[in-house]
Amino acid sequence: MLYRNIFKPVLFRMDPEKAHHLVIGGLGAGVRIPGTLAAMQSMYGITSTPDMTTELFGITFPGPVGLAAGLDKNAQAVAGLSASGFGFMEVGTVTPKPQPGNEQPRLFRLPSDRALINRMGFNNEGAWAMADRLRHLVDHPIPIAVNIGKNKVTPNEEAAEDYKACISELYTYADFFVVNISSPNTPDLRNLQHGNELKELLAEVMQEMNAQAQNHGTSKSVLVKIAPDVSDAELEYMVETIRQSGAAGIIATNTTLSRDGLTHNHAGETGGLSGRPLTERSTEIISRVYRQTEGKLPIIGCGGIFSSEDAYDKIKAGSSLVEIYTSFIYEGPQITRRLHNGIRELMQRDGFAHISEAVGTAHR
């Protein structure tokens, strides 16, 4: 009620990017006020129960609903977002060097389509700045994934060096890493998903992860985030290459370039589309990945989740965890508790004692 009736009307009258910075900056600063985190946890937090707790990648996830990358690009609001009902969250996408991203305006709301279009271009303060913030993080109540990318000026043949630099800088502070090769807003980035480029990139990433594991005495996992705009043959190749690389899982999916069915006048803007129009396509990709890997490669489902049914469909299609982004913008922080509790009700309705029992049941 507070978000829908007071904050959202104000924020939605603002430029989307300015509203974004206001929210993230406000969360980052607001948690320094005594009692703020406790109040947020009371209003929006979830009660972690054994049936909704997932063990994956050697990590305990207190709930299945996470925050996708893109909202907290610089790890400015980790404490506040951790108290907002999420079971885990991604920060980033971060690149080795700071970069301003693409020219503004670069973020657009499409309310009639329950969607967003962004062409941000990995705007961020760089890996060192993120590491410094995470280093000073007092509390770490949920798993934190660091989503990593390459700088715009780095050619694809040198991209592996950027991913390795991010891993080296941030290894201590991440619970796991996500390799982002699927954003449509960095020129030629999606080419890294195909052919030998993907195989070579992941080989170097895994080599760096192994080196860091030896240095720190702790192994951590890498997931790969894939795009929805691929053919069946391309998807099959990508998934097999990711599986063979030793990566621990896949995030399906990133934003789409498709504009099918849009009604809003921002539909012609370039960039990645997220939100409701992506719901069915992302679930289809999840289902295909699950079938190809016979459920042996964990999937985090992302794309167009607005209801507990949307999330549950992705779990039944093969996702062990799910992530939201656009619905958090439209619905506010109350959506996390609603999704969490709704998934639990659907799971219990179907007779499952633990959420893991529901994973992939659409294929049985």
Side-chain angles (χ1 to χ4, degrees):
M1 293 288 290
L2 187 66
Y3 180 81
R4 184 171 66 245
N5 295 334
I6 297 176
F7 292 119
K8 183 179 175 181
V10 173
L11 292 171
F12 271 52
R13 282 195 293 268
M14 298 174 62
D15 170 79
E17 189 167 351
K18 289 181 179 177
H20 174 96
H21 290 311
L22 179 64
V23 169
I24 295 301
L27 277 172
V31 296
R32 301 190 189 104
I33 302 171
T36 299
L37 281 177
M40 291 183 65
Q41 183 66 39
S42 176
M43 288 189 292
Y44 307 122
I46 59 169
T47 299
S48 183
T49 54
D51 59 340
M52 293 290 279
T53 300
T54 296
E55 299 287 336
L56 206 60
F57 319 124
I59 301 167
T60 300
F61 295 83
V65 181
L67 177 65
L71 192 70
D72 194 0
K73 294 178 178 293
N74 297 301
Q76 293 175 284
V78 172
L81 290 167
S82 295
S84 300
F86 291 108
F88 65 103
M89 66 177 288
E90 289 187 61
V91 293
T93 298
V94 64
T95 55
K97 299 176 183 178
Q99 62 181 26
N102 296 323
E103 292 185 5
Q104 300 182 27
R106 53 193 180 181
L107 180 61
F108 306 88
R109 304 186 192 98
L110 291 73
S112 59
D113 298 306
R114 307 283 280 168
L116 298 171
I117 290 175
N118 92 82
R119 51 174 180 263
M120 304 299 286
F122 289 172
N123 56 307
N124 73 103
E125 297 173 1
W128 185 90
M130 178 178 284
D132 189 56
R133 285 202 179 93
L134 294 176
R135 183 183 301 115
H136 292 95
L137 190 65
V138 175
D139 199 9
H140 193 158
I142 62 173
I144 306 297
V146 174
N147 186 299
I148 57 176
K150 79 173 188 72
N151 283 111
K152 183 177 181 179
V153 297
T154 303
N156 276 10
E157 56 268 25
E158 299 174 13
E161 297 306 314
D162 278 15
Y163 289 94
K164 290 161 63 178
C166 288
I167 291 167
S168 177
E169 186 70 62
L170 290 154
Y171 192 86
T172 302
Y173 312 108
D175 290 300
F176 62 102
F177 286 91
V178 178
V179 172
N180 189 347
I181 50 173
S182 52
S183 169
N185 302 317
T186 294
D188 299 325
L189 183 74
R190 284 190 171 188
N191 291 339
L192 294 173
Q193 297 181 120
H194 310 299
N196 284 332
E197 287 188 90
L198 178 60
K199 183 177 181 179
E200 292 169 2
L201 172 66
L202 292 181
E204 294 210 43
V205 165
M206 295 308 299
Q207 184 179 34
E208 180 65 25
M209 289 295 294
N210 291 334
Q212 292 297 327
Q214 288 187 345
N215 291 341
H216 293 274
T218 304
S219 296
K220 297 185 179 183
S221 295
V222 169
L223 280 71
V224 181
K225 190 167 189 176
I226 64 174
D229 308 317
V230 291
S231 68
D232 291 349
E234 288 171 336
L235 179 63
E236 185 174 345
Y237 174 84
M238 287 163 50
V239 171
E240 181 59 20
T241 303
I242 292 167
R243 187 191 65 79
Q244 291 182 4
S245 75
I250 288 175
I251 298 184
T253 64
N254 211 319
T255 56
T256 181
L257 293 173
S258 171
R259 297 295 186 265
D260 291 346
L262 297 185
T263 61
H264 197 274
N265 57 12
H266 284 324
E269 296 290 346
T270 59
L273 174 74
S274 63
R276 175 56 74 193
L278 193 54
T279 306
E280 291 186 9
R281 178 57 178 166
S282 62
T283 303
E284 179 186 355
I285 294 288
I286 291 162
S287 185
R288 289 176 180 271
V289 173
Y290 186 87
R291 285 201 303 270
Q292 182 178 338
T293 62
E294 299 178 335
K296 296 176 183 177
L297 189 66
I299 304 165
I300 298 179
C302 182
I305 296 173
F306 279 79
S307 69
S308 52
E309 289 81 6
D310 296 333
Y312 195 55
D313 284 346
K314 283 178 167 50
I315 291 167
K316 291 190 295 181
S319 296
S320 295
L321 301 166
V322 295
E323 291 180 336
I324 62 173
Y325 177 89
T326 303
S327 61
F328 188 72
I329 304 297
Y330 278 94
E331 302 291 333
Q334 67 271 16
I335 191 173
T336 49
R337 181 184 286 178
R338 176 163 59 82
L339 291 176
H340 179 95
N341 292 341
I343 293 168
R344 191 176 190 221
E345 290 173 5
L346 291 168
M347 182 188 79
Q348 292 174 339
R349 179 203 67 187
D350 290 345
F352 299 123
H354 190 273
I355 189 169
S356 62
E357 297 174 14
V359 176
T361 52
H363 302 275
R364 299 169 198 160

